[in-house]
Amino acid sequence: MLANRIEARPTSGAVGAEILGVDLSSGLNGSDVADLRAALNTYGVIFFRDQAISPEQHIAFAERFGTININRFFRAAPGYPQIAEVRKEPNQTTNIGGGWHTDHSYDQIPALGSILLAREVPPRGGDTLFASMSLAYEALSDGLKHTLQQLRAVHSSRHVFGAASQYVQDSDGRLGNSDKATQDASHPVIIRHPETGRKTLYVNPAFTLRFEGWTDAESKPLLDFLYAHASKPEFQTRFVWREGSIAFWDNRATWHLAVNDYHGERRLMHRITLDGVALE
Ligand code: SIN
């Protein structure tokens, strides 16, 4: 329950809530920020509607929650290095973020989360799915939880953002700086969420390579099982965008996937990512 004027209305039984009673163009007071942080911790992703905000206001909103992480690989919005563009043009067939992932898990200190603002949306389609990795963890058997608790996993940016990657080659210049795709990181497979202490599954299909000390071939069957389990509909919510909609997600608690079902239409989103803390 939020203490102040802000209301959080859950969007599914699993994850996500729409925030009512907030106009981000008029700024936030300290208790609004505390309420929104509490809602993010409770729901994993929070959504806002009809926010007519400028890039400066988007940046100011993000800075109330942490330090902005300048993305190495995405093209920035013109004049705003803090804002990464997530763009698909009518002539392009691949999208950005079209598979389940959590942003920046390849960093030693992965990002807290991202604040994605819809600037231009297709008339239909282009929704984003979110899945709760806390619920995915909690639904595992005690035996598998015990096994996973002992493991760490290796994550990398190389195979996704490096020059040899098909994703980069198909991006038509939307992704760049392939020479900067040098990050490898090891994190516990089960983390304790840094703010809530809730246990959460922390592997993802895009960036996780293997369990530490295991081969790729040894890791694959268990990772595949975890990915099939964690992507079940009962852990998900689906967000239908309108211009001015915002999703603010917690990368330590959720996965997300941008649905690529709007060929021939433009979709332009502005994303700001926030620095996180080391995961334990
Ligand atoms: C992302 O993966 O950060 C982008 C998600 C989206 O465009 O819906």
Side-chain angles (χ1 to χ4, degrees), residues 16-265:
E18 182 170 337
I19 300 296
L20 305 173
V22 174
D23 173 4
L24 298 179
S25 68
S26 58
L28 298 173
N29 64 37
S31 62
D32 293 337
V33 173
D35 272 0
L36 293 177
R37 198 179 279 280
L40 185 64
N41 284 334
T42 302
Y43 296 104
V45 52
I46 51 178
F47 304 110
F48 303 80
R49 291 289 188 194
D50 305 320
Q51 301 293 330
I53 58 171
S54 64
E56 288 78 6
Q57 288 169 321
H58 188 186
I59 292 167
F61 173 56
E63 285 175 335
R64 299 300 300 269
F65 295 89
T67 303
I68 293 176
N69 178 301
I70 308 243
N71 193 281
R72 305 173 189 89
F73 307 119
F74 288 40
R75 191 193 300 175
Y80 299 97
Q82 305 94 324
I83 300 178
E85 273 190 0
V86 181
R87 175 190 285 275
K88 185 178 172 221
E89 293 293 346
N91 65 330
Q92 292 172 328
T93 53
T94 60
N95 70 341
I96 305 290
W100 283 115
H101 64 286
T102 187
D103 302 327
H104 292 233
S105 72
Y106 47 80
D107 282 332
Q108 303 281 343
I109 302 196
L112 178 161
S114 295
I115 302 171
L116 188 69
L117 165 62
R119 289 287 178 203
E120 198 172 335
V121 294
R124 70 194 77 73
D127 303 347
T128 305
L129 308 181
F130 295 88
S132 166
M133 291 305 108
S134 313
L135 285 182
Y137 167 76
E138 287 157 13
L140 295 170
S141 68
D142 287 347
L144 185 50
K145 282 179 184 158
H146 180 75
T147 299
L148 296 176
Q149 194 69 53
Q150 332 291 319
L151 298 178
R152 298 177 67 85
V154 179
H155 303 243
S156 183
S157 64
R158 296 171 194 273
H159 60 294
V160 179
F161 296 113
S165 153
Q166 195 62 45
Y167 184 50
V168 169
Q169 286 164 22
D170 289 344
S171 79
D172 239 352
R174 288 171 287 172
L175 300 171
N177 290 328
S178 287
D179 55 317
K180 292 200 170 74
T182 56
Q183 299 73 34
D184 300 299
S186 157
H187 305 293
V189 171
I190 307 302
I191 59 164
R192 275 208 181 269
H193 188 278
E195 289 179 48
T196 64
R198 193 172 174 192
K199 286 191 176 182
T200 301
L201 182 65
Y202 196 74
V203 287
N204 69 88
F207 299 119
T208 307
L209 294 179
R210 71 185 80 85
F211 298 110
E212 196 169 81
W214 297 30
T215 65
D216 289 4
E218 288 167 341
S219 303
K220 188 173 183 319
L222 181 50
L223 286 174
D224 284 349
F225 170 82
L226 292 172
Y227 297 155
H229 166 77
S231 53
K232 286 180 184 158
E234 59 264 37
F235 305 136
Q236 295 178 22
T237 195
R238 181 178 187 123
F239 189 58
V240 180
W241 296 92
R242 301 196 298 256
E243 194 182 308
S245 301
I246 292 176
F248 182 177
W249 63 83
D250 185 329
N251 278 315
R252 294 84 52 96
T254 57
W255 283 354
H256 57 281
L257 177 158
V259 180
N260 187 16
D261 60 350
Y262 54 96
H263 299 313
E265 305 287 350

